[in-house]
Amino acid sequence: MANLKYKQDDAASILLEKNALKHKWNEYLLISIVFGGFLIFGFSENIKGPAIPLIQENFGASQTQIGLLLALNSFGYLLACSYTSWMSDKIGVRWTGTAAFLFMALSGVFIYLSAGFPSLSAAFFVLYLGNGMLEIALGIMAARIFTKNTGMMLNISHFFYGLSSTVAPIFAASVMEWHWGEGEIGWRGMYFLFLGLSLLPIIPSLFSKFPSESKHDGEGASFKSLIRDRTAWLIVAVLSLGVVSEMGIGGWLINFLVQAYQWDIKEASNMLSLFFLFFMLARLLLGAVTDKIGFAKSIMIFSAFSGLCSIAGILIGEKGSILYAVSGIGIALVYPTIMALLAKRYPKGTGTAITFTVTLMGIASVIGNFLIGIIIDTARIIADALGAVDSEIIGLKFGYGFIGVLALLCSVCCYFLYRSTEKNKEII
């Protein structure tokens, strides 16, 4: 009987070890999908910097048309955000993420085949459908996986976005000069190659078991309750202003340096990469700070720093260009810290809270990107009418200055968010 008991205990111990090993392996696969997904996301978002001046030259597009192209991208992103949480509930976060990666890979093919500005705009729209789906899916995955040290882990996850964003402009500028056959790969081939990488994270997705939504007690979230929640709207304002500022830098910095200061594309791409280097390091090294001093207070401090850097760079002129890169330290923490805040404040219905917040952020992105282009053209026209010699530079400075103002407004809104949560004794 004793031998039988020992054998049963051994069998149970072996089974426990196998289950623990299986669980650990599954955890590594899930983390690889989240980290890899953000890595791909960073490339897809930030290879456009070096490509936009060439696209503008190829199609003879105005600044307003480029602003409209970026706004259309944001609209595709917005549309995807509106249905992805529902899609995740219906088919699961695994297949939602897989669909997002497939959309992104297909968009690379469409961009390569685009014959004119309308077809290129449609291809970019497909890309941002994939990006929007991926962002919501990754947000849901991360909220379910990282239940401890949430602020730090989400900032580390977004560090991989910063990592790929750092090297994306340099790699993109370099790849566009590669030769294939009788000519250069160009911006079309560059998009095709980079977006083809979107197929890689699908492999671990097929072998992973994804966690379901947390069932523990906590405040639930529905669209009806969120619409009535003043704090939820403040979160939307903070995220929208911060992200439009971040995306504005990624989309317009190279164009600004090339046209305002006559930098070449490689030199300007290096500055954007430096921005993302600071951006990446901030997420890696300062993520733990957000858990210690509070999410709202962290964003308030760091977004103000970013806005001040951008505006100081404009005022100083070309010699202050390094401040555009340094601004990445502040703006980097906004998005992942808001995602951590949502995960903590809405432990039940996190997907709904993320969808509500990011969808409204998408609306702001559409308006923001379009506004930057309009501000540049309008300021230039006014400067021309007033007889200014450098009207083009004046227009660009007004447009880029608007990006810095958005970061400052993000900080102001975060102050009200902090006061609101303090008043309700829910500092997070």
Side-chain angles (χ1 to χ4, degrees):
M1 290 292 292
N3 287 336
L4 179 60
K5 186 176 183 302
Y6 288 140
K7 287 180 180 179
Q8 288 174 338
D9 288 344
D10 287 344
S13 178
I14 291 169
L15 184 61
L16 284 172
E17 286 180 9
K18 284 184 177 179
N19 286 337
L21 184 62
K22 192 175 181 181
H23 177 75
K24 203 71 178 174
W25 176 245
N26 187 66
E27 193 175 297
Y28 289 144
L29 286 176
L30 291 173
I31 290 172
S32 75
I33 296 165
V34 173
F35 288 177
F38 278 113
L39 199 70
I40 299 296
F41 194 17
F43 277 122
S44 69
E45 278 275 316
N46 296 294
I47 53 176
K48 67 177 177 286
I52 282 176
L54 297 178
I55 290 171
Q56 190 172 17
E57 183 182 336
N58 285 174
F59 294 112
S62 67
Q63 302 287 5
T64 298
Q65 282 180 301
I66 294 297
L68 184 60
L69 173 67
L70 296 175
L72 186 62
N73 294 347
S74 297
F75 179 69
Y77 179 94
L78 162 66
L79 183 62
C81 289
S82 68
Y83 63 75
T84 303
S85 180
W86 170 85
M87 187 177 177
S88 177
D89 289 337
K90 291 295 181 183
I91 67 173
V93 72
R94 177 210 308 272
W95 299 114
T96 303
T98 299
F101 289 125
L102 287 173
F103 264 86
M104 292 166 69
L106 280 172
S107 70
V109 177
F110 296 151
I111 288 171
Y112 184 80
L113 297 175
S114 59
F117 199 76
S119 59
L120 176 69
S121 299
F124 269 84
F125 180 77
V126 174
L127 169 59
Y128 278 78
L129 278 177
N131 279 354
M133 291 170 64
L134 181 62
E135 182 156 12
I136 296 293
L138 289 175
I140 295 171
M141 287 181 209
R144 294 179 186 177
I145 295 167
F146 305 128
T147 55
K148 295 180 181 179
N149 300 318
T150 310
M152 181 180 71
M153 291 307 298
L154 280 169
N155 270 285
I156 291 174
S157 297
H158 285 78
F159 155 78
F160 285 91
Y161 173 89
L163 176 62
S164 56
S165 298
T166 300
V167 298
I170 296 174
F171 283 6
S174 177
V175 168
M176 286 191 295
E177 293 181 351
W178 290 0
H179 283 77
W180 178 263
E182 296 181 359
E184 291 183 343
I185 284 181
W187 57 267
R188 297 174 190 273
M190 180 271 292
Y191 263 102
F192 179 80
L193 290 175
F194 275 104
L195 294 176
L197 297 174
S198 303
L199 298 173
L200 295 178
I202 294 175
I203 299 169
S205 296
L206 300 176
F207 298 96
S208 304
K209 183 179 180 182
F210 287 77
S212 56
E213 185 168 74
S214 173
K215 301 299 180 185
H216 60 72
D217 293 336
E219 184 180 351
S222 66
F223 284 109
K224 189 177 289 186
S225 67
L226 290 167
I227 288 169
R228 295 196 300 262
D229 185 355
R230 179 174 178 270
T231 301
W233 285 100
L234 284 170
I235 292 171
V236 168
V238 170
L239 183 65
S240 298
L241 291 165
V243 168
V244 173
S245 181
E246 175 195 324
M247 292 176 66
I249 296 169
W252 291 92
L253 180 57
I254 291 178
N255 224 25
F256 174 76
L257 294 173
V258 168
Q259 296 188 27
Y261 302 138
Q262 287 75 54
W263 289 22
D264 61 45
I265 288 179
K266 272 194 172 181
E267 189 180 12
S269 297
N270 288 341
M271 182 60 74
L272 183 58
S273 290
L274 187 59
F275 163 82
F276 282 115
L277 176 63
F278 284 117
F279 186 92
M280 170 188 69
L281 292 176
R283 286 182 168 175
L284 180 64
L285 301 176
L286 299 177
V289 174
T290 64
D291 284 316
K292 287 184 179 179
I293 70 173
F295 299 153
K297 193 182 290 185
S298 300
I299 297 170
M300 184 169 58
I301 294 168
F302 286 106
S303 59
F305 174 79
S306 176
L308 290 172
C309 283
S310 293
I311 290 172
I314 293 286
L315 295 175
I316 294 170
E318 186 174 1
K319 291 181 179 178
S321 297
I322 186 64
L323 290 172
Y324 303 136
V326 175
S327 70
I329 294 171
I331 210 66
L333 299 185
V334 176
Y335 188 91
T337 306
I338 285 291
M339 292 299 108
L341 191 154
L342 290 172
K344 287 294 184 183
R345 193 168 196 272
Y346 305 104
K348 295 171 67 177
T350 305
T352 302
I354 291 173
T355 298
F356 175 81
T357 307
V358 175
T359 299
L360 291 171
M361 180 206 77
I363 295 173
S365 296
V366 172
I367 297 168
N369 275 309
F370 193 45
L371 268 179
I372 294 168
I374 289 177
I375 288 169
I376 292 172
D377 279 340
T378 303
R380 177 182 54 78
I381 291 168
I382 293 172
D384 266 338
L386 295 173
V389 178
D390 51 354
S391 59
E392 188 72 31
I393 296 174
I394 291 171
L396 289 163
K397 285 188 173 183
F398 266 93
Y400 203 86
F402 178 65
I403 294 170
V405 169
L406 291 175
L408 292 177
L409 289 175
C410 174
S411 180
V412 172
C413 288
C414 208
Y415 168 76
F416 290 109
L417 174 62
Y418 175 78
R419 290 297 301 272
S420 174
T421 54
E422 183 184 43
K423 183 179 178 181
N424 297 323
K425 297 181 180 179
E426 53 179 21
I427 298 297
I428 43 180

